[in-house]
Amino acid sequence: MKRVLAVVFAFSILLSAAVVFAEEIGVAQTENPTESIVQEDTQLEDFGITVTIDGEELEFDVPPQIIQERTMVPMRAIFEAFGAKVEWMQDAQIIYATYGSCLILMRIDKPILVVQDFAAPEGEAETQYTMDVPPTLVANRTLVPARAVSEALGATVEWDNDTRTVVITK
């Protein structure tokens, strides 16, 4: 019972921290939340892209997309393939995920990805990445850059042009 309460307490702290950090870095701002790089009603195209993690091919409910020369994948699939717990805050259009002692934050149409490591020493706990392409909504799906998310979770990423495969190694 104590363990369950500790987990619930820790998760509630992480959720509170997500909102605070999102506000601090500007990802919680709500100006023009529906103005995306790609509109929600855009049709998805199958670019024939495969994504693997440690040699295992990922399955997606929608195919990976190429947006501004970057491979974008459904957020839930990529985070869950790493074992992260992902949540979507519809009203603020914020993506947050927990992975080990880390909290990862992104917002639709904002090119900043924040990783907050609650186990890191003070002063080293927060890392911000500027993404080439921000998370976006396409055909009612939230797509995130495969490379940025994977590298934020500590993986290495390569592109195999011959097979059109994103190769992720944890």
Side-chain angles (χ1 to χ4, degrees):
M1 183 66 177
K2 287 182 183 179
R3 185 175 183 164
V4 171
L5 289 175
V7 169
V8 169
F9 180 70
F11 186 72
S12 66
I13 289 173
L14 287 174
L15 179 57
S16 298
V19 173
V20 170
F21 289 121
E23 289 171 354
E24 285 180 8
I25 64 163
V27 296
Q29 297 171 358
T30 58
E31 79 263 356
N32 269 339
T34 59
E35 187 177 314
S36 295
I37 293 172
V38 179
Q39 295 301 316
E40 289 184 56
D41 60 356
T42 299
Q43 294 300 310
L44 293 170
E45 185 176 336
D46 190 345
F47 289 91
I49 296 170
T50 302
V51 178
T52 64
I53 296 182
D54 294 334
E56 296 289 321
E57 186 174 333
L58 295 185
E59 303 252 343
F60 299 107
D61 61 341
V62 297
Q65 300 293 293
I66 300 293
I67 299 174
Q68 296 181 357
E69 299 181 18
R70 295 293 179 250
T71 303
M72 306 289 280
V73 295
M75 70 160 184
R76 188 163 303 282
I78 189 86
F79 277 114
E80 289 178 352
F82 275 89
K85 179 172 175 30
V86 64
E87 295 294 333
W88 168 244
M89 298 169 77
Q90 176 68 38
D91 292 341
Q93 294 195 318
I94 293 174
I95 302 156
Y96 73 93
T98 54
Y99 181 67
S101 63
C102 294
L103 173 68
I104 298 104
L105 289 168
M106 294 182 284
R107 182 172 183 263
I108 298 299
D109 295 328
K110 298 291 182 186
I112 303 296
L113 182 150
V114 176
V115 178
Q116 180 69 35
D117 186 348
F118 291 98
E122 192 172 327
E124 299 175 24
E126 184 175 301
T127 306
Q128 290 189 23
Y129 301 90
T130 301
M131 298 178 284
D132 295 336
V133 179
T136 191
L137 297 172
V138 179
N140 293 316
R141 289 290 187 270
T142 302
L143 302 180
V144 297
R147 179 177 297 277
V149 168
S150 299
E151 290 178 349
L153 294 169
T156 58
V157 181
E158 296 177 17
W159 170 252
D160 183 333
N161 198 46
D162 294 337
T163 62
R164 298 187 55 78
T165 301
V166 176
V167 180
I168 302 168
T169 306
K170 288 188 196 178

